[in-house]
Amino acid sequence: HAPFVVHVPLGRVSFYDFTSLFVVPYGVSVVFLGLGAWVYWARRRMRAGRGYLFFCSALVGASAGCLDMNASHTLVRLWIAAVPATGVALAHLALVFPDEVTWVRRWTNVRYLVWLPCLAAIALAEWQLYNPANPWAYIGTWLDNYLLVSVSTVIFFGLLAWRMRASSSAAVRQQCRVILLGSLLAFA
């Protein structure tokens, strides 16, 4: 067999591509890494502080991997794990912040059950990434990961809204209100 050669012309990256693929994701990563470290430093003995640090760390992996996902694909396995971990870390955070949910306070290890779908999604996505029998199989697993992030986000905001209405603590209701308002403004 004769070698198959593909010539790829190199060009300058446009300002838009540089900004959307590098500046914004890395800027988000730096901000969230700083926020996570700051909250952990202030609240390292609390489950919410540790949970927020893990959420920020997973978000940094997913966000910083954006450039690699559009360029060399060197860190694709890390990115595959970071995406569902970000979502489930958010759902886990909802169970312990601003105050632990009643049943989590009663049975502390129950909060780890939200990680089972995440571990399954990561294992399946990693397994299907380079499946020689079906080279397009990874697409379905990535869609599953995005669905897991979406469901986790709904759980987070749903639990915050529920606590804002049902909590007997005025401080918890106020914290939920601030988070929901800030999130609404951020997504808008």
Side-chain angles (χ1 to χ4, degrees), residues 31-47:
V31 167
F32 271 93
L33 194 59
L35 286 172
W38 176 61
V39 168
Y40 180 74
W41 180 77
R43 303 279 186 234
R44 68 181 146 272
R45 289 184 176 79
M46 296 177 64
R47 288 183 178 140

Side-chain angles (χ1 to χ4, degrees), residues 45-152:
R45 289 184 176 79
M46 296 177 64
R47 288 183 178 140
R50 293 186 304 264
Y52 187 71
L53 176 64
F54 191 82
F55 164 71
C56 289
S57 300
L59 184 65
V60 165
S63 182
C66 282
L67 176 65
D68 180 70
M69 288 302 300
N70 291 289
S72 67
H73 301 281
T74 305
L75 302 174
V76 67
R77 290 198 181 274
L78 175 68
W79 183 82
I80 286 174
V83 169
T86 300
V88 175
L90 189 61
H92 182 260
L93 189 58
L95 297 175
V96 297
F97 181 80
D99 191 19
E100 290 179 337
V101 177
T102 307
W103 47 272
V104 169
R105 214 174 299 126
R106 195 171 305 141
W107 303 292
T108 58
N109 291 331
V110 169
R111 71 185 186 276
Y112 296 118
L113 290 178
V114 296
W115 289 98
L116 293 176
C118 178
L119 294 174
I122 291 170
L124 183 62
E126 296 285 353
W127 177 55
Q128 291 295 322
L129 182 61
Y130 297 115
N131 182 351
N134 185 359
W136 298 104
Y138 74 93
I139 294 172
T141 62
W142 289 11
L143 291 175
D144 293 342
N145 288 350
Y146 298 146
L147 178 64
L148 184 60
V149 170
S150 301
V151 168
S152 297

Side-chain angles (χ1 to χ4, degrees), residues 167-184:
S167 179
S168 59
S169 168
V172 169
R173 286 194 310 271
Q174 180 64 24
Q175 287 175 335
C176 291
R177 198 173 298 118
V178 167
I179 293 167
L180 287 171
L181 179 63
S183 300
L184 180 67

